[in-house]
Amino acid sequence: MKHSKWTVLISSVFMQMVLGIIYIWGVFQPEVALHYGWSTPVSAAVFSVMIVFIITGSILGGKLQDIYSPRPVILISGVFVSIGAFLASFTKSSPIWMYFSYGGLSGIGIGAIYTTTIAAAQKWFKEKSPLATGIILGALGFGGVVFTPVAQFLLSHYGVPGTFRALSLIYFIICIGGGVFIVNPAAYEEINKGEKSAFLKGMSNKEMLGQPMYYILTVAMMFSLPAFFMMAPILKVLCLERGVSEKVRAYAVMSVALLNCVGRFVSPVISKRIGDKNTLVLLNIVTAASSIGMAFSYGWLCILFMCLIAVCFGGVFGVFPSMTSKLFGMKNAASNYGFVLIGYGISAIFAPGIYGITVPLGRYAPFITVAVISIAAVIISRFIGENYLGKDAV
């Protein structure tokens, strides 16, 4: 079968769109809690468990695709994602089974596919890897927009168990069908045959973990995301408090999801002009300013600031894969990026609690807090290097 960079890119886009379903757990959560009689924290924990296993899968999948090539990793991971959703449909009263099935099995598969498709695209589009990464990650964000009405339809017509079975089928068809087309370029495969290639340049995970720059990069990611993670779970509540009508609230939620996607497309384009580091600094400045704006605004102005935070959140994911591969090389880019995603995991788990902890101090406190965190991210980002750090630099 003949492969091209376009078949790899298009297949990756379709798979990432389906994986974007993870970002709409807020649609599932109330129905899951009602169906099984769980509290909100118990049902919300499914997403937190999934984040932990997505990071695990990102690291594991990245290492395996370096050894065995992307296709078998994606095909096996697609089976994990599908089986996890299917098994989740048999959940009874205890949440442990759903944590294991959808959070664990599906989470590992999603993480492996996520990093493997990005790494494969970067190898095919070596000169335009930020743009290819932005397109793929934009599809991930857009998946939340596309599948929100699909999920709502399935939940209202087939209930929670039926929805998970339908998702299982969707995951299987798209991930297995798309995974067939994900391969490395021939030039990269020559490395395994002993041929020297520019693709060979790159640090191992152990070498990267020995670099102070890895920790700077990971902390920069961790500090760049809390504003969105704090806002997302309480988006509808914030709109209600700020005098936004019910009809407009629905559009606000859709706009935030869509602009999260737009940010993933736009930031690689900006970084091509001003550089990854400067783009990250800009995103965090806008996030800090918008967070402060959120504290004092009402109505449409409040929605505007929400949308700016969403654009910047998506934009962060448009620059970090590129920065990781530039700093630590392409050879182990997928698994190295998986380790950088630890910053994402920490932020995703702990940042949503910022609102509940700080709001007793006053209505402005949560937004000032995340603004300060974003300013800290600006300072940390200034220390990120721009050149490859490996011994085999040429």
Side-chain angles (χ1 to χ4, degrees), residues 137-161:
L137 295 179
L140 180 71
F142 191 60
V145 178
V146 171
F147 283 100
T148 292
V150 174
Q152 290 171 335
F153 174 84
L154 291 172
L155 286 166
S156 63
H157 286 77
Y158 301 101
V160 171

Side-chain angles (χ1 to χ4, degrees), residues 200-204 207-208 211 213 324-330 336 386-394:
L200 188 59
K201 192 166 63 176
M203 294 186 192
S204 66
E207 289 171 331
M208 182 190 72
Q211 292 281 344
M213 190 59 65
T324 303
S325 59
K326 286 177 182 176
L327 287 169
F328 308 117
M330 284 296 302
N336 284 343
E386 296 181 351
N387 299 314
Y388 176 59
L389 299 174
K391 296 178 182 178
D392 51 347
V394 291

Side-chain angles (χ1 to χ4, degrees), residues 115-347:
T115 49
T116 301
T117 51
I118 292 172
Q122 286 181 338
K123 292 165 191 168
W124 280 95
F125 291 85
K126 192 162 181 275
E127 300 303 320
K128 296 183 178 180
S129 65
L131 180 59
T133 300
I135 291 172
I136 291 174
L137 295 179
L140 180 71
F142 191 60
V145 178
V146 171
F147 283 100
T148 292
V150 174
Q152 290 171 335
F153 174 84
L154 291 172
L155 286 166
S156 63
H157 286 77
Y158 301 101
V160 171
T163 298
F164 276 112
R165 287 169 194 150
L167 288 180
S168 174
L169 182 60
I170 293 171
Y171 283 138
F172 185 85
I173 292 172
I174 300 299
C175 294
I176 301 302
V180 172
F181 297 98
I182 308 298
V183 296
N184 286 325
Y188 185 84
E189 292 297 339
E190 288 299 319
I191 295 172
N192 296 325
K193 300 176 183 178
E195 181 178 308
K196 182 69 176 175
S197 166
F199 283 109
L200 188 59
K201 192 166 63 176
M203 294 186 192
S204 66
N205 300 150
K206 183 177 180 180
E207 289 171 331
M208 182 190 72
L209 293 173
Q211 292 281 344
M213 190 59 65
Y214 160 73
Y215 300 95
I216 294 173
L217 194 65
T218 302
V219 172
M221 173 176 272
M222 182 174 69
F223 278 38
S224 296
L225 304 175
F228 181 85
F229 279 133
M230 185 198 76
M231 177 188 73
I234 57 171
L235 188 57
K236 290 184 179 180
V237 175
L238 287 175
C239 286
L240 183 63
E241 290 178 349
R242 305 306 172 87
V244 179
S245 68
E246 184 176 353
K247 183 178 180 181
V248 175
R249 286 201 298 271
Y251 287 116
V253 172
M254 289 292 289
S255 297
V256 165
L258 182 61
L259 289 168
N260 174 8
C261 161
V262 170
R264 297 166 192 253
F265 281 113
V266 171
S267 66
V269 177
I270 296 174
S271 70
K272 191 173 175 105
R273 293 182 176 274
I274 67 173
D276 292 331
K277 181 167 74 173
N278 290 333
T279 301
L280 183 60
V281 168
L282 176 62
L283 292 170
N284 278 294
I285 290 173
V286 174
T287 298
S290 299
S291 298
I292 294 172
M294 283 277 294
F296 301 98
S297 61
Y298 290 84
W300 283 101
L301 188 58
C302 178
I303 294 174
L304 172 63
F305 287 128
M306 288 179 182
C307 289
L308 287 173
I309 291 171
V311 170
C312 293
F313 175 82
V316 167
F317 290 99
V319 296
F320 269 90
S322 173
M323 284 196 292
T324 303
S325 59
K326 286 177 182 176
L327 287 169
F328 308 117
M330 284 296 302
K331 185 178 178 183
N332 299 292
S335 55
N336 284 343
Y337 182 55
F339 278 99
V340 173
L341 283 174
I342 290 173
Y344 159 74
I346 294 172
S347 186

